[in-house]
Amino acid sequence: MMSQMIIRRIGIGIILLWVVSVLIFALTQVLPGDAAQIRLGQQATPETLAALRKELGLDKPWYMQYLSWMGNLFTGNLGISAAGGATIESLIGNRIGNTVFMTGIVALISIPLSVLLGLLAAMFPGQLLDRIITSGTLGLIAVPDFFVAIFLILLLAVSLGLVPAVSYLSGTEGFWRSVYVLALPIATLVIVVSAQMIRMTRAGILNVMGSPYIEMAILKGVPRKTIILRHALLNAIGPIVNVIALNLAYLVSGVVVIETIFAYPGLAKLMVDGVQTRDIPLVQACGMIFCCTYVILILIADIASILSNPRLRHPK
Amino acid sequence: MSDTSATADQGPNPDVYDELPDAPPKSRLRLSTTGKVSVAIVAFWVLMAFIGPWIAPYGESHFIEDDALGNPIDDPSFMLPDMGLHVYFGTDYIGRDVFSRIIWGARTTIGISFIATLLAYFVGITLGIAAAVAGKWVDAVLSRLVDAILAFPNIMLGLIIIAAFGSSIPLLIFLAGLVYAASVFRIARALGQDIMVQDYVEAARARGEGLWWVISREVLPNAAMPLATDFGLRLVFVILFISSLSFLGLGVQPPISDWGSMVRENLQGLGNGFFGGALASITPALAIASLTIAINLIVDDISAQAGGSLAKKMT
Amino acid sequence: MADTSPIFQCKDLKIEARPWDASPIPIVKGVTFDVKPGEVVALIGESGSGKTTISLASLGYTKPGLHFSGGEAVLLGKDMITIDPEERRARRGEHVAYLAQSAAATFNPALKINEQVTESAVLHGHMSQEQANKRARELYEALELPDPDRIGGRYPHQVSGGQLQRLMAAMALVEKPSLLVLDEPTTALDVTTQIEVLKAFKKVIEEEGSAAIYVTHDLAVVAQIADHIVVLYGGEVMEQGPVEQIINNPSHSYTKRLMSAVRPTPSAGMGEGATGEHRREVPALEVKHVTAGYGKGSDGKPAVTVLRDVNVSVERGHVVGVIGESGCGKSTLARVMAGLLPASEGEVLLDGDALKPALADRARNELQLVQFVFQMADTALNPRQTIGEIIGRPLTFYHNMTGRARRERVLEILRLVELPVEFEGRFPAEMSGGQKQRVNLARGLAANPEVLLCDEVTSALDTIVGANVIKLLERLRRETGVSFVFISHDLSTVASFADEIVVLYAGRVVEKGPVDQVLSPPFHPYTRLLIASVPEMRVGWLEDTMQTREAMAGISRGVTITKVGCPFFDRCPVAIEGTCEKIDPPARVDEHGHNHVIECHRQIDELGAPGAAQSAAASAKKAKVAKKANGGSAAAAKAAPAKKPAARKPAEAKKAAPAAKRAAPAKRATAAKKPAAAKKPAAKATPDDLQQISGVGPKIAGQLKTMGITTFEQIAAWKKADMDSFNEQLKFKGRIEREQWVPQAKKLAKAKK
């Protein structure tokens, strides 16, 4: 039964990915003018336009264009940037590593941090530590990401001069140097993502802590530590994994603003630039990468909650 | 446990042994101190959105340097009391009064967000309740559609649509409305489904009541309170969403002032220290934060009194 | 500890609730009582009496939001309230253990049962894991759980509710606590399961010699298990004393009222019988050959059939009681009548005219004539409408009443259901449970119906409140002449209110007729089981009934819905193998009765002549009854003051076990593949009547005989591999919990000695 449910979820995930690709393609097709026009700009003559359209395959019906676009996506041949003329693979190739590097570090820091703080808050509900954590995170999830970034820039870069305010990587830095340069965007993302994760972890554990079997464990004389680590955490682990996956998905949105504010040469910055210059093939490609990551992370979150249900894991 | 739900002073009268009442009459909503402060902050900004243009010292895109000698960019703490020109938070990167622009911006930011949230609510609730009540294929089709919208990270959908259509205020409202209608749909549908299986709805159906009665008299009144609280949270999300787009330069376009765009425009001033230009980007950011935190605190206060069950539904 | 000094003393205990926005509310207002060693003290009271709160004080625990505000809860010489928290923690589980109302919620779904049962003992360092496992296994056996070797390895959701309830007892008993706190442990169970669990609890409490606090609202249950009763109301003790005194001779007015609210146990001759006074040619409501269920199968029939070929008729002005365990389709029947669930086959007739199956197709006046009253007033009343709106709506909807006329009628109806007219402007949340139920009834009555369908309307109410609602219903029926379909799982309530009874089992009507006839022989075997399971409010009933119940072995089974045959087949003591499970039973009319019909393959005269409850079964199983009587006399000896014979029991069990093993080894080696090889040891022993094991009919007994299995010992020694191979040989379809053969055989083997 469980494997059936998981297969079903994966099936739905694949359908969603397909729908996403259709939507992205469709949205960018309704543009007045097309990629050929944008590339040629003012110099376009009907002849050159027609020639470029033929070259780009824009003269074919839309579904053929969609199929060839999908085919190209799978083969990694993403076309040519409308703005610069460089291939999109090379543009993305230069940037994607930066984004993965930064988000990877953010995930490595924020996951253990959030679980720990969420756990601490849940262990002492209503006490000072819990109140500091809950009100702090409540404030943080209510403010825009750039507010946190600006605050950190003012505090750490401008006032204290500890770290650089702009995160420019030349590509030759070593690991620690890169981390130093990226300290501010990483710190911002960690704070923003962890705030959500801490709240949800705490809520997940408290939810479990309110169940009758925890009361029973208390009445059996089980020590508090054992109750949390054995009875509560075991049942909360599904929700927590779910929370983690969901928040990593949230990172996908978070990087867009953060890379822009720190002028960090990552994929999201590339996409925002692409939107500003209306570089459609580039936006399509970047959008597909981000949306796929997002859908897959949400899928993982779903599967985690299926896997963590003991009723499904041990059927009758 | 009903064992613990006794009420005040129910001294056992040996002859009566009345059944203990379920709950005392409803007490009115009482806000905590932070709640009250938050209401004041929100009220202030809403007021500004309405009357801001009349009380702002300067126009939305009025260049102070036109009025004054000297260069406010080099000297942002520049004041000219003699000439009756007073600049509270300095001027921005091209010499406009930040204070005035924030007051003007309240109208743009709150206005767009509020209309977008209303749109999201109208569409989301209508379709969500329809899906819950009708069920079957209506529910299936609408739910799949919403799944597709929610398969995009919010900001990503914003980027792609803006790339396709270019940014404008109507588009922003439509965009935020669309994105958040999807999540309102989910909540309204879940609430609607919860209510539809209640016995009182079944009792109405057994009586032979029509669909319209069931929706308007049985479902909606019971969904209203949770949805109203959720509206506050959803408004916060919409403000953050629109501000983020503006911050990316893809939202409200100059010269209209908007808090998100103001942060972006004045970002380069950050390097000059707090009073050396940072103020121009910090103050609009603070304006957003004060509004969103205040709304959040009010919602938190209300849902804490409603038993905190709302907080669970929100995520 | 000295035998005379109390194990637990509650001294002027005070507990209060401290809401964040209001002054403290006292919940327990100075309660004093003692629990002596080996004594079972019952805390009895209705909801809000503070009984659970008081019982938890013995563990030094309060529910969140509550606080101790005075007095002491002294357990073994130390106050559990002021004691050092570490020591309190150590004492929980060791000296005092708690059994909650819902075992399903109190077991952690992510941990295996054994881990949870042994946890406390191992954590406190009293036993090694092995010792604890051994102890747990002993307890499983003592609590008569099936397959004690393996049940601990399962997860909570993998065992049934009744079993889980007993497993929770094992969890509480594992450290041999001096005091057990049982909080309504049988309330959530069906009567037939309750009796089994009750019996197991009583036995274990006696064997272990624990003292206990038993929290319940059910006086009849208390009479079975308690030595001493504390009657609570509103957080204060009304009266306390020995069980005989409180039950037979209550002195306090509250106790008297509580006792008078208890419905007499159903017995032969109850009910007034059909008077025929309102009788006309056509019944008010009739259900003919109705089959209904949920979901949609491939063939257009429901995916899950709940009702199968059901016939019920409701005479004008009569009350038809529908009775059965949960899952038998009682509510479904009412929903079919109301049109909320369209029947897939058959028809519903109102005044002789067929109604459309679905609600949407019925005319408004047809809807008006059949009104449905839901079980839970809490959810059946829209919390956003005032009482006036709730009661007024049917007036407007069916009778076009508006304005003044409507308002006056609303007030009239409020008076009719004995509610103050001021309630018109109130919201449901401002009323008590009983008041809400009255509004719920009032709404049904406002439509001015011919038939009122009442679905478990008193089940969620406290005894006294429920009794008052029944009184109201009786009055309404007299005054309005409305017919009632009264659904309940509580036979006593139905017996006291209904004219006719319909007994449902697994979606089939197994018996129906006037109350007095259904409650007296001849019985359908299921009716007999139901009647025998209702606790009587007298001391010693449990023991008596356990001796005489021939259907004992079948009672812990769940209800299984079957496609053909008699659904009761797998629990029935007089089932005819090869017939009952295959062919739908004929409807047999009791010639001496009036419209008394029993659906059974047995002849009416086999189903018990008046006064000879056992005789039907006896014809098939004389030997068994004799055996039971033997075993019973031992039980009777035990039933009296004696706690000593109880101590003998484990010893007996140990004796029996090696005996069974002796028979086993020769077999185990070979039997794994060929059980027939087990002939040799069997030849020496005298054959037993294997049909005493539930699930073994004459056919299977014959098959077993051909395989050389003739004694209980042989079956008692079966291991899993043996079972699997028997399974194949017997062509078992898994209908009966075969796992239960072994424990049963063990018991029977033991009884033989």
Side-chain angles (χ1 to χ4, degrees), chain A residues 91-173:
Chain A
L91 285 174
I92 289 177
N94 289 337
R95 301 290 194 90
I96 198 165
N98 289 344
T99 297
V100 170
F101 176 73
M102 185 168 77
T103 48
I105 290 179
V106 170
L108 280 181
I109 299 173
S110 60
I111 292 172
L113 181 78
S114 313
V115 173
L116 188 73
L117 287 180
L119 199 62
L120 276 177
M123 273 173 93
F124 310 103
Q127 293 183 18
L128 186 66
L129 179 71
D130 177 46
R131 278 187 298 194
I132 292 174
I133 291 176
T134 44
S135 48
T137 50
L138 178 75
L140 283 171
I141 56 167
V143 298
D145 302 352
F146 55 77
F147 180 85
V148 178
I150 289 173
F151 181 78
L152 287 180
I153 292 175
L154 274 180
L155 185 74
L156 299 179
V158 178
S159 302
L160 300 174
L162 290 176
V163 285
V166 171
S167 313
Y168 179 72
L169 281 185
S170 66
T172 55
E173 297 89 349

Side-chain angles (χ1 to χ4, degrees), chain C residues 651-721:
Chain C
E652 265 179 26
K654 266 173 212 142
K655 235 184 283 160
K661 272 193 192 122
R662 241 174 283 133
K667 219 175 69 178
R668 216 186 305 148
T670 50
K673 283 202 176 96
K674 258 185 107 192
K679 261 175 194 163
K680 247 192 173 173
K684 288 174 200 160
T686 46
D688 290 316
D689 180 10
L690 294 181
Q691 290 185 50
Q692 288 185 43
I693 296 170
S694 132
V696 179
K699 190 173 151 207
I700 291 186
Q703 284 178 327
L704 286 172
K705 200 175 170 192
T706 61
M707 286 183 236
I709 310 293
T710 53
T711 62
F712 296 137
E713 282 88 344
Q714 284 175 298
I715 295 180
W718 280 2
K719 291 284 171 276
K720 190 178 179 313

